[in-house]
Amino acid sequence: MSEHIPRHLTLKHPLSTLSVIFGIWKAVLLLLALASPGPGYDTSTTLLDWPERYTLLSKLVRWDSIYFTQIAQHGHLFEQEWAWGTGITSVLAWGSRLLFATSSPSTWQITVSGLLLSHLTSWMSMMLVWLISAHLAVGTSDAKAQVAFVAALLYIVSPAGIFLSAPYSESLFAALNLLGFHLFLLGRNGHARGATARAALMTVCGGLASGLATAVRSNGILSGMLYGWDASLSLLALLDQGLRTQQVTRLLSLIVGGCAVGAGMMLPQYQGYVEYCTGHMESELRPWCKNTIPSIFTFVQSHYWNVGAFRYWTLSNLPLFLIAAPTLTVLLYSAYGCIRMKLTPPKLQAQAQHSDSVYLAVPQVVLAVLAITNYHVQIITRLSSGYPYWYLWLALTNVYGLSDARFLKIVVKWMVLYATIQAGLYASFLPPA
């Protein structure tokens, strides 16, 4: 893939080259969206308070972003609006107030803030994929540089497409989730080198980043698996080796980081509980308030959006499973390649066995399984943008020649084709979303 770009740009000026390609690709997607016929079968966006000169912006406020912009402007007015984390709407609200120096931002101001936020965090995500891939790649320095470059290049043309440009939650989630992964790996490696204090700081900061990601999108909670697993290993080491400052510090940092991830899920739930379940008469309480674990998110997702185990398994939804199939295939197959250690050439097997790759592969497997069984399956094409391993795996197979070169070309053609078609469909309020 990178063979078509001059080698000195990929090795000596990778970030500049990537940033230029990033800008061109984003411009293409925006032009496709703006050129779409719109408004599609749903005209709800046209009912918002758009000044005439800003009607082009309305093409980027579709599907869930209608909720995001309105919640950022007015707060939660209806129960069904608690289907999403409060992270994205809070950032949009505060960001537009600061950017436009107003206490009551309008729809177009929130939309502009959302566009800037999505492009900035999408660029940050690309950089983080580059950093994570450079950290995990094995081989010569040139090979590592090539792997990191190709992985970041693949992220640019992610099938998440226009969702990483519009005022949506995907881009912010991806940046925070990838940052959490990166800091966690830094902490894990720092601990292995004996840099106890720095490792503990990185681990806690990684948990905070993942907690913020979870406040944006609930699937960020999957990052908590990393902390739970390493905490279990640290506890076993303590029981086996006795109390050692390094192990105790490591365990405590993992517990704090894991609690931070959980807080990203629990705090929005607590906000909803206070609003709907306190200060009301018994007869006025919503049914979920009386549950053993009163979760407004779980109730709203199930009651209003029909999210639940195998609920999406209907014949009418078969086309959506077919749309999601390429992403699901790459997510599962790349993770399988990592777990079976068939990721690298034989001479690099020893290094690969001690890599941190499996820590990134496992959450994407769980995400893929949940998408198949519980979620609206088509959203996996955009959720996948927050998980870096499959980009790394595709880059490794390309640079090290581990698979037929046609395979990567097919995957890249699918990503580009899907993202470009999606941009036009999104702007016309047409599925899949």
Side-chain angles (χ1 to χ4, degrees):
M1 184 177 182
S2 60
E3 65 269 17
H4 301 297
I5 301 173
R7 192 166 180 272
H8 73 280
L9 293 178
T10 63
L11 296 181
K12 294 184 179 179
H13 307 286
L15 300 186
S16 299
T17 305
L18 288 169
S19 295
V20 170
I21 297 172
F22 175 89
I24 294 172
W25 178 246
K26 291 295 185 182
V28 169
L29 292 182
L30 287 176
L31 287 173
L32 287 171
L34 295 176
S36 69
Y41 75 92
D42 190 321
T43 60
S44 53
T45 302
T46 63
L47 303 177
L48 304 181
D49 57 334
W50 298 103
E52 185 175 349
R53 64 183 181 280
Y54 293 112
T55 52
L56 286 178
L57 289 177
S58 68
K59 291 190 175 184
L60 298 171
V61 180
R62 297 289 196 245
W63 301 99
D64 293 353
S65 62
I66 296 176
Y67 284 95
F68 297 150
T69 54
Q70 294 309 289
I71 295 170
Q73 188 174 11
H74 305 294
H76 289 84
L77 301 179
F78 307 102
E79 187 180 56
Q80 64 265 32
E81 293 176 339
W82 289 87
W84 303 275
T86 57
I88 180 63
T89 52
S90 298
V91 172
L92 287 176
W94 285 103
S96 55
R97 288 169 189 166
L98 290 173
L99 182 62
F100 293 98
T102 177
S103 59
S104 301
S106 64
T107 299
W108 78 264
Q109 290 173 329
I110 292 172
T111 300
V112 170
S113 300
L115 290 172
L116 293 175
L117 174 69
S118 289
H119 283 81
L120 174 61
T121 52
S122 184
W123 180 85
M124 290 172 59
S125 297
M126 178 194 70
M127 294 292 107
L128 285 163
V129 168
W130 181 80
L131 285 171
I132 292 170
S133 300
H135 171 73
L136 293 179
V138 291
T140 65
S141 57
D142 278 7
K144 290 181 179 180
Q146 286 287 330
V147 168
F149 183 87
V150 173
L153 197 59
L154 289 167
Y155 186 85
I156 293 175
V157 294
S158 165
I162 195 68
F163 289 96
L164 297 178
S165 300
Y168 240 79
S169 58
E170 267 63 33
S171 191
L172 178 60
F173 167 78
L176 290 170
N177 208 45
L178 292 169
L179 178 60
F181 283 140
H182 181 55
L183 293 173
F184 174 83
L185 294 179
L186 289 179
R188 197 166 183 274
N189 282 265
H191 172 71
R193 295 195 307 271
T196 305
R198 183 177 182 275
L201 178 62
M202 292 295 101
T203 301
V204 172
C205 289
L208 291 171
S210 296
L212 291 172
T214 305
V216 175
R217 285 206 67 100
S218 62
N219 52 287
I221 197 67
L222 298 180
S223 299
M225 298 168 58
L226 311 183
Y227 294 84
W229 176 250
D230 261 16
S232 300
L233 295 179
S234 294
L235 181 59
L236 291 174
L238 277 175
L239 295 174
D240 180 54
Q241 303 170 13
L243 293 176
R244 294 185 179 183
T245 301
Q246 184 178 8
Q247 290 292 352
V248 171
T249 303
R250 175 66 174 162
L251 178 59
L252 289 175
S253 66
L254 287 165
I255 291 173
V256 173
C259 288
V261 179
M265 175 68 78
M266 296 305 297
L267 290 178
Q269 301 299 304
Y270 177 73
Q271 288 178 276
Y273 181 83
V274 169
E275 180 169 338
Y276 286 93
C277 303
T278 61
H280 297 280
M281 296 176 60
E282 182 77 12
S283 60
E284 297 176 342
L285 292 179
R286 298 294 295 147
W288 61 269
C289 293
K290 302 175 184 179
N291 292 344
T292 304
I293 302 177
S295 170
I296 187 172
F297 175 79
T298 303
F299 173 79
V300 167
Q301 286 281 341
S302 174
H303 184 71
Y304 293 99
W305 306 103
N306 198 36
V307 172
F310 305 109
R311 290 188 182 182
Y312 220 56
W313 285 34
T314 64
L315 186 61
S316 61
N317 286 329
L318 179 60
L320 297 177
F321 277 90
L322 295 176
I323 287 171
T327 306
L328 291 169
T329 300
V330 175
L331 287 175
L332 293 171
Y333 188 64
S334 61
Y336 171 80
C338 173
I339 295 169
R340 290 297 302 268
M341 296 300 174
K342 293 180 179 178
L343 179 66
T344 52
K347 65 180 180 179
L348 299 174
Q349 284 284 354
Q351 297 97 313
Q353 289 173 356
H354 300 290
S355 76
D356 299 313
S357 297
V358 70
Y359 279 83
L360 303 185
V362 171
Q364 78 176 36
V365 170
V366 177
L367 179 75
V369 172
L370 287 174
I372 294 170
T373 58
N374 285 62
Y375 299 165
H376 293 179
V377 68
Q378 74 276 8
I379 70 171
I380 192 62
T381 56
R382 42 192 173 96
L383 294 188
S384 63
S385 62
Y387 295 83
Y389 183 72
W390 66 284
Y391 300 105
L392 169 62
W393 177 78
L394 286 170
L396 283 167
T397 59
N398 173 250
V399 174
Y400 291 129
L402 302 181
S403 65
D404 191 324
R406 290 176 298 179
F407 174 74
L408 183 68
K409 290 181 180 179
I410 291 172
V411 173
V412 172
K413 286 179 180 178
W414 157 70
M415 292 167 70
V416 172
L417 184 63
Y418 185 87
T420 51
I421 294 173
Q422 175 204 68
L425 294 175
Y426 171 90
S428 294
F429 227 133
L430 295 172

